[in-house]
């Protein structure tokens, strides 16, 4: 036991460092996991996960294996590839043998999956039941077993609802503690310099002090330059948010019209509330990767770039090397800006890289910006998880939007899987007056019978000096843009985030002066992008999307005639199939029934209730059934199957590629020449584009892509990334000879 090795690393090509001993790694991981799990009163469970997670390395076979190839093998602690010796299955079986099926089964899920991900209970050779039945612990060194056998059995256990997600979420939280503790303890040995160089983040109190200084300057400047009703209303919103921070932790809503300053005001609430109730971090959740950079930029301007961790799912690296595993994000900062996809898919994931962060969500303030975009198909498991975060994991949750969805159970809709009526507390003191005071546009009466062609629309749009037109898909955006006069801006997710950010910045600067500015965009500008046009056109969409589009019109209330102009039109192509199509049809139905005031906040209750009625299911993939403990099979939970099914965006239909836009080119080269590094990956998220799988195959077949790291692809040639419209997928550069320069 005293010479068992856990990990080894090279100093140079021929020299190995002194190995990390197994018992030292078990103790180090145990101490960290216990500390993490204490945040939800499960420290004893975390401790046992850490103590037993690698006990399967204490066999002659595994110890001989790690010493192969020049004396050691630096990848030996990973599993899942041919030739590697399974140590997690014996570890999982040992913990069941020691603690029995009740306690042991919980620990076994975590330990069996700490490299390859949480397993299903049944269904394949990777399932926990199969692995427990087909492994042995007889080869583990006896003195190692005796050393750990005297561990104290944990006595603290949460009360679980056998019909809900309580147990599966708790196991996933323990799994997160183990995975992060294992990663960090391994990193301290494998890369001590990286461990020492972790960014020193400010705490909540320091962030609040910095915020107060910055917001005071922002408020004084805004009121001194333009003491308009809009800026006065923003100050009232900010005051309401600060006052509400004293309320006890729980569920909240911030209902503010677009342009009402909810981004910084919601952050004011979060900081004051976190400081008052000793919360550890603030997590700001945004619906689209396409707009995350703007909010992150706002927060970076307030707190400094090192204090904001921006994390989304564009670069979800494969866990195939030691370096890639250590580069996984763990949300160890007090301010996280992430996406709806990254946040919720992490809660239902089985992968170590996704689950690693979960224990750091405990005791947080979580803000959902544009909460109406939380996906309806998964609303039941999502709302139950949020309720558990509030009731069992010490979180406060804030739903922030101009178009507040109905997440409480309506009296006429008892089957809706929402919160009890009255449990969500509104932070804004007088919502009706706020909406009336911030009315800045008039919406032209909607004609749902008259379909417009792109040619007709381009002629009409070209008659305006300043106009924004929003459509519902990339293809429509390109088709309409191609018919517009030269100089018209194009915005879609085929531009990488940094490119979009640069274009939006350029548009904002031009809007401050005089001159023609026309923009054709997808819905990415509707949520959180604070551009301001006198005229906005919107293709028929859900009522919430129309209201969000209207928020880009006369945003600052500075037009001489007081009101901006919003036109809703029926485009030649319907909204994409699914909830976007149903949302559009629901809005059309309301218009046909006589709805006139699109922007009345009371209209959204009727809209969302009708939209929810049209939903085929609030759990379209059966996630609840997969994650409920099966009492017949003694705590049988299908973690891996649930993870495959819970896909807000079907990643089997999408791939991510990196594009050589500006700094992206040098970052791609850096990643290509180095090991996978968390900081490089963070930066490259701003130079990534998601495309459909068939488009990816098309680019691959025409020789446009190169694999620069395992599973990470980049565009070979910059001429296939247009400076105006972004990635050229279905089209090639106009001059094929430009490929010669590649």
């Amino acid at each position: 036991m005293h010479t068992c090795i856990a990990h080894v690393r090279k100093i140079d090509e021929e020299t190995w460092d002194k190995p990390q001993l197994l018992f030292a790694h078990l103790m180090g991981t145990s101490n960290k996991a216990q500390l993490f799990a204490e945040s939800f009163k499960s420290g004893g469970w975390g401790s046992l996960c850490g103590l037993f997670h690698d006990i399967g390395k204490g066999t002659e076979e595994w110890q001989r294996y790690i010493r192969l190839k020049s004396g050691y093998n630096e990848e030996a602690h990973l599993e899942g590839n041919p030739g590697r010796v399974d140590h997690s299955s014996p570890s999982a079986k040992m913990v069941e043998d020691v603690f029995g099926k009740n306690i042991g089964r919980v620990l076994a899920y975590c330990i069996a999956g700490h490299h390859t991900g949480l397993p299903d209970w049944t269904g394949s050779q990777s399932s926990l039941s199969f692995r427990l039945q087909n492994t042995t612990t007889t080869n583990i060194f006896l003195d190692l077993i005796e050393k750990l056998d005297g561990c104290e059995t944990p006595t603290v256990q949460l009360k679980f609802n056998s019909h809900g997600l309580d147990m599966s979420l708790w196991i996933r939280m323990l799994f997160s503690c183990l995975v992060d503790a294992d990663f960090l303890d391994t990193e301290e040995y494998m890369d001590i310099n990286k461990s020492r160089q972790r960014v020193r983040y400010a705490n909540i109190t320091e962030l609040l002090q910095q915020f107060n200084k910055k917001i005071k300057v922002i408020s004084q400047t805004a009121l001194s330059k333009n003491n308009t009703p809009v800026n006065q209303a923003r100050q009232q919103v900010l005051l309401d948010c600060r006052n509400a921070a004293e309320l006890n932790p729980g569920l909240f809503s911030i209902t503010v019209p677009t342009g009402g300053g909810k981004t910084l005001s919601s952050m004011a609430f979060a900081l004051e509330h976190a400081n008052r109730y000793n919360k550890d971090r603030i997590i700001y959740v945004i619906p689209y990767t396409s707009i995350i950079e703007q909010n992150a930029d706002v927060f970076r301007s307030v707190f400094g770039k090192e204090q904001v961790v921006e994390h989304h799912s564009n670069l979800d690296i494969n866990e195939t090397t030691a370096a890639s595993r250590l580069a996984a994000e763990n949300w160890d900062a007090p301010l996280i800006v992430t996406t709806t996809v990254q946040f919720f898919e992490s809660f239902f994931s089985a992968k170590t890289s996704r689950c690693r962060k979960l224990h750091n969500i405990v005791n947080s303030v979580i803000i959902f910006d544009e909460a109406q975009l939380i996906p309806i198909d998964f609303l039941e498991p999502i709302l139950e998880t949020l309720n558990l975060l509030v009731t069992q994991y010490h979180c406060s949750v804030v739903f922030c939007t101009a178009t507040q969805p109905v997440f409480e159970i309506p009296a006429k809709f008892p089957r809706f899987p929402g919160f009890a009526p009255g449990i969500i507390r509104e932070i804004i003191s007088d919502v009706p007056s706020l909406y009336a005071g911030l009315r800045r546009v008039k919406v032209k009466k909607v004609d749902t019978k008259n379909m417009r062609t792109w040619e007709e629309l381009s002629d009409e749009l070209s008659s305006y000096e300043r106009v924004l037109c929003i459509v519902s898909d990339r293809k429509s955006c390109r088709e309409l843009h191609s018919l517009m006069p030269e100089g018209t801006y194009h915005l879609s997710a085929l531009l990488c985030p940094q490119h979009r950010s640069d274009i939006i910045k350029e548009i904002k600067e031009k809007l401050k002066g005089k001159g023609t500015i026309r923009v054709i965009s997808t819905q990415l500008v509707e949520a959180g992008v604070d551009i301001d046009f006198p005229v906005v056109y919107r293709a028929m969409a859900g009522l919430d999307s129309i209201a969000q589009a209207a928020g880009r019109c006369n945003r600052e209330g500075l037009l001489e005639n007081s009101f901006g102009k919003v036109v809703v039109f029926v485009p030649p192509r319907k909204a994409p199939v699914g909830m976007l199509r149903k949302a559009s049809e629901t809005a059309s139905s309301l218009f046909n029934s006589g709805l006139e005031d699109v922007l009345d906040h009371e209209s959204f209750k009727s809209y969302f209730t009708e939209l929810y009625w049209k939903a085929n299911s609030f759990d379209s993939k059966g996630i609840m059934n997969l994650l409920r403990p099966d009492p017949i099979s003694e705590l049988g939970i299908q973690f891996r199957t649930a993870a495959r099914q819970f896909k807000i965006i079907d990643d089997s239909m999408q791939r991510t590629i990196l594009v050589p836009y500006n700094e992206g080119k040098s970052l791609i080269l850096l990643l290509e020449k180095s090991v996978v590094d968390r900081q490089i990956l963070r930066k490259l998220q701003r130079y990534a584009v998601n495309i459909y799988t068939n488009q990816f195959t098309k680019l691959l077949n025409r020789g446009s892509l190169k694999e620069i790291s395992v599973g990470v692809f980049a565009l070979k040639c910059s001429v296939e990334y247009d400076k105006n419209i972004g990635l050229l997928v279905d089209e090639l550069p106009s001059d094929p000879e430009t490929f010669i320069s590649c």
Side-chain angles (χ1 to χ4, degrees):
M1 179 191 75
H2 297 295
T3 58
C4 285
I5 293 172
H7 305 113
V8 291
R9 67 180 177 89
K10 279 185 174 181
I11 297 175
D12 53 44
E13 287 298 319
E14 298 182 355
T15 309
W16 295 90
D17 196 4
K18 182 179 178 180
Q20 182 187 34
L21 296 182
L22 177 56
F23 191 71
H25 175 56
L26 295 179
M27 291 302 298
T29 303
S30 175
N31 291 336
K32 290 180 176 65
Q34 178 176 6
L35 178 64
F36 297 155
E38 287 289 358
S39 64
F40 52 99
K41 299 180 181 179
S42 300
W45 294 86
S47 174
L48 289 181
C49 282
L51 282 172
F52 282 84
H53 80 287
D54 270 357
I55 195 173
K57 289 183 176 180
T59 65
E60 184 176 347
E61 180 186 18
W62 202 92
Q63 290 297 312
R64 183 169 60 249
Y65 166 60
I66 199 173
R67 288 167 168 80
L68 291 176
K69 298 181 180 179
S70 301
Y72 293 118
N73 178 0
E74 63 182 349
E75 299 293 325
H77 62 292
L78 296 174
E79 293 178 3
N81 289 337
R84 288 176 179 166
V85 178
D86 178 8
H87 68 271
S88 62
S89 295
S91 301
K93 183 172 178 59
M94 173 59 69
V95 84
E96 275 213 8
D97 291 346
V98 172
F99 296 105
K101 288 187 177 179
N102 290 329
I103 294 173
R105 183 65 51 79
V106 170
L107 301 173
Y109 273 113
C110 300
I111 290 170
H114 77 276
H115 285 301
T116 55
L118 280 166
D120 283 343
W121 172 243
T122 59
S124 69
Q125 292 186 6
S126 64
S127 68
L128 182 59
S129 59
F130 182 90
R131 291 167 67 180
L132 292 177
Q133 292 169 11
N134 292 275
T135 192
T136 179
T137 61
T138 57
N139 295 329
I140 299 176
F141 296 135
L142 184 60
D143 55 349
L144 187 58
I145 297 173
E146 292 173 345
K147 184 77 173 177
L148 300 181
D149 199 16
C151 297
E152 183 178 351
T153 302
T155 56
V156 178
Q157 186 164 334
L158 302 178
K159 294 179 181 179
F160 297 106
N161 175 4
S162 61
H163 300 291
L165 302 181
D166 309 41
M167 176 63 81
S168 62
L169 178 58
W170 181 61
I171 292 174
R172 196 178 272 107
M173 283 291 189
L174 289 174
F175 178 66
S176 170
C177 295
L178 171 60
V179 168
D180 196 25
D182 184 28
F183 281 4
L184 292 173
D185 192 77
T186 302
E187 184 181 72
E188 287 175 5
Y189 168 75
M190 297 291 290
D191 194 345
I192 187 63
N193 290 328
K194 179 181 289 185
S195 180
R196 289 172 176 170
Q197 291 171 3
R198 288 183 177 274
V199 175
R200 190 271 178 184
Y201 296 108
N203 59 37
I204 292 293
T205 301
E206 291 169 335
L207 290 176
L208 177 58
Q209 292 170 348
Q210 175 65 20
F211 178 85
N212 287 338
K213 291 179 182 177
K214 192 74 173 182
I215 204 70
K216 183 178 181 180
V217 174
I218 292 173
S219 298
Q220 289 176 345
T221 302
L223 291 174
S224 64
K225 287 185 176 180
N226 297 300
N227 192 13
T228 62
V230 172
N231 280 329
Q232 293 170 11
R234 288 170 181 167
Q235 293 305 305
Q236 183 60 49
V237 170
L238 179 62
L239 180 62
D240 284 348
C241 287
R242 288 191 185 278
N243 291 338
E246 294 294 316
L247 296 172
N248 289 332
L251 290 160
F252 300 92
S253 60
I254 298 178
T255 307
V256 176
T258 52
K262 63 182 178 353
T263 299
L264 288 176
S265 293
S266 62
M267 180 57 68
F269 168 83
L271 286 168
E272 297 277 10
H273 188 70
N275 192 57
R276 170 70 175 80
Y277 291 101
N278 297 314
K279 302 298 182 186
D280 294 323
R281 60 187 45 79
I282 294 162
I283 303 171
Y284 205 96
V285 186
I286 298 172
Y288 303 128
T289 56
S290 56
I291 60 169
I292 192 173
E293 65 272 8
Q294 174 174 286
N295 293 66
D297 282 344
V298 170
F299 297 141
R300 276 189 282 264
S301 70
V302 173
F303 302 111
K305 64 179 182 179
E306 294 297 334
Q307 300 301 326
V308 181
V309 172
E310 176 187 337
H311 186 212
H312 49 80
S313 54
N314 275 354
L315 287 178
D316 191 15
I317 58 175
N318 292 325
E319 298 162 24
T320 54
T321 67
S324 65
R325 281 164 50 84
L326 294 176
E329 195 65 76
N330 69 344
W331 288 10
D332 55 357
L335 181 54
I336 307 293
V337 182
T338 189
T339 60
T340 304
V341 172
Q342 180 64 240
F343 186 85
F344 286 122
E345 288 191 3
S346 295
F347 271 106
F348 296 94
S349 178
K351 294 179 67 175
T352 56
S353 62
R354 283 289 185 92
C355 291
R356 180 183 179 184
K357 66 179 77 70
L358 294 184
H359 72 92
N360 278 328
I361 296 175
V362 175
N363 199 38
S364 296
V365 181
I366 307 165
I367 301 172
F368 291 98
D369 192 23
E370 309 301 347
Q372 77 281 359
L373 295 173
I374 292 177
I376 294 174
D377 284 348
F378 298 102
L379 211 50
E380 184 174 2
I382 282 175
L383 294 184
E384 177 154 342
T385 298
L386 293 180
N387 187 53
L388 290 171
L389 288 178
V390 170
T391 58
Q392 295 186 1
Y393 296 97
H394 320 301
C395 292
S396 284
V397 171
V398 184
F399 300 114
C400 187
T401 179
T403 54
Q404 200 65 243
V406 183
F407 285 158
E408 294 181 343
I409 302 172
K412 297 181 180 180
F413 196 3
R415 73 178 182 87
F416 180 70
F419 304 109
I423 198 172
I424 301 175
R425 291 162 290 174
E426 175 59 53
I427 286 174
I428 302 305
S429 57
D430 189 350
V431 174
S433 294
L434 181 64
Y435 271 71
L438 285 177
R439 183 66 64 98
R440 307 179 300 280
V441 304
K442 290 183 178 180
V443 181
K444 185 179 178 181
K445 186 174 180 179
V446 181
D447 181 0
T448 60
K449 308 298 183 184
N450 180 26
M451 188 195 76
R452 312 290 299 280
T453 66
W454 294 136
E455 288 77 12
E456 289 172 341
L457 283 163
S458 66
D459 288 343
E460 192 169 325
L461 293 169
S462 298
S463 68
Y464 294 102
E465 291 293 307
R466 297 191 168 198
V467 63
L468 166 66
C469 180
I470 303 172
V471 294
S472 297
D473 62 277
R474 298 174 182 178
K475 188 172 184 179
S476 296
C477 188
R478 289 244 170 134
E479 288 178 357
L480 180 55
H481 180 266
S482 68
L483 298 171
M484 293 294 293
E486 186 176 350
T488 300
Y489 288 98
H490 166 277
L491 283 170
S492 81
L494 287 175
L495 300 164
C496 71
Q498 185 59 52
H499 196 172
R500 290 194 300 268
S501 184
D502 291 344
I503 290 177
I504 290 170
K505 183 179 180 181
E506 184 176 328
I507 291 170
K508 288 180 180 179
E509 287 300 316
K510 284 194 173 183
L511 285 170
K512 292 177 183 178
K514 297 181 179 180
T516 301
I517 306 173
R518 304 184 184 100
V519 178
I520 310 298
S521 178
T522 60
Q523 60 266 36
L524 68 86
V525 299
E526 287 179 350
V529 180
D530 55 347
I531 51 179
D532 189 353
F533 281 83
V535 180
V536 171
Y537 277 59
R538 182 49 167 107
M540 179 61 71
L543 206 62
D544 53 331
S545 293
I546 293 171
Q548 294 290 344
R552 312 312 124 191
C553 183
N554 195 23
R555 188 178 182 86
E556 299 298 327
L558 299 177
L559 290 179
E560 292 181 4
N561 60 359
S562 299
F563 291 98
K565 178 181 179 181
V566 175
V567 179
V568 180
F569 63 92
V570 179
R573 180 177 292 108
K574 290 183 178 180
V577 175
M579 289 311 302
L580 287 177
R581 178 77 59 85
K582 289 181 179 180
S584 177
E585 291 170 349
T586 300
S588 292
S589 174
L590 290 174
F591 290 134
N592 292 334
S593 299
L595 175 67
E596 293 186 0
D597 191 353
V598 179
L599 304 181
D600 181 2
H601 75 282
E602 290 293 333
S603 301
F604 299 113
K605 293 180 181 178
S606 300
Y607 165 74
F608 280 110
T609 301
E610 183 174 336
L611 182 62
Y612 293 160
W613 271 106
K614 291 181 178 179
N616 295 329
S617 172
F618 299 112
D619 183 16
S620 61
K621 302 296 183 180
I623 303 299
M624 299 293 291
N625 286 332
L626 290 168
L627 294 179
R628 287 188 183 108
D630 180 1
I632 297 176
S633 60
E634 299 177 304
L635 199 59
I637 300 174
Q638 299 296 95
F639 284 107
R640 197 160 294 186
T641 299
R644 285 196 296 268
Q645 294 297 321
F646 193 98
K647 296 294 182 185
I648 294 175
I649 298 174
D650 186 355
D651 58 9
S652 66
M653 299 295 292
Q654 290 203 349
R655 296 292 298 268
T656 297
I657 65 169
L658 303 174
V659 296
Y661 172 77
N662 289 359
E663 188 187 3
K665 186 172 184 178
S666 59
L667 288 171
I668 289 169
L669 291 174
L670 189 60
L671 183 61
E672 192 173 10
K673 294 176 181 178
S674 66
V675 298
V676 178
D677 180 87
R678 184 184 307 168
Q679 299 301 323
I680 298 176
L681 287 170
R682 278 183 183 174
K683 292 179 181 179
L684 275 169
Q685 287 176 340
R686 298 181 69 79
Y687 301 92
V689 174
N690 286 333
I691 57 176
Y692 292 110
T693 302
N694 64 320
Q695 295 173 321
F696 175 86
T697 302
K698 186 175 183 178
L699 289 175
L700 197 63
N701 289 341
R702 81 184 190 199
S704 301
L705 303 178
K706 58 181 177 180
E707 190 171 15
I708 61 170
S709 185
V710 179
V712 179
F713 289 83
L715 197 65
K716 280 184 180 179
C717 186
S718 58
V719 300
E720 292 185 81
Y721 187 82
D722 187 84
K723 65 179 181 179
N724 296 314
I725 60 174
L727 182 65
L728 302 179
V729 178
D730 299 314
E731 60 272 271
L732 287 169
S734 56
D735 183 4
E737 291 188 4
T738 56
F739 276 109
I740 297 173
S741 63
C742 295

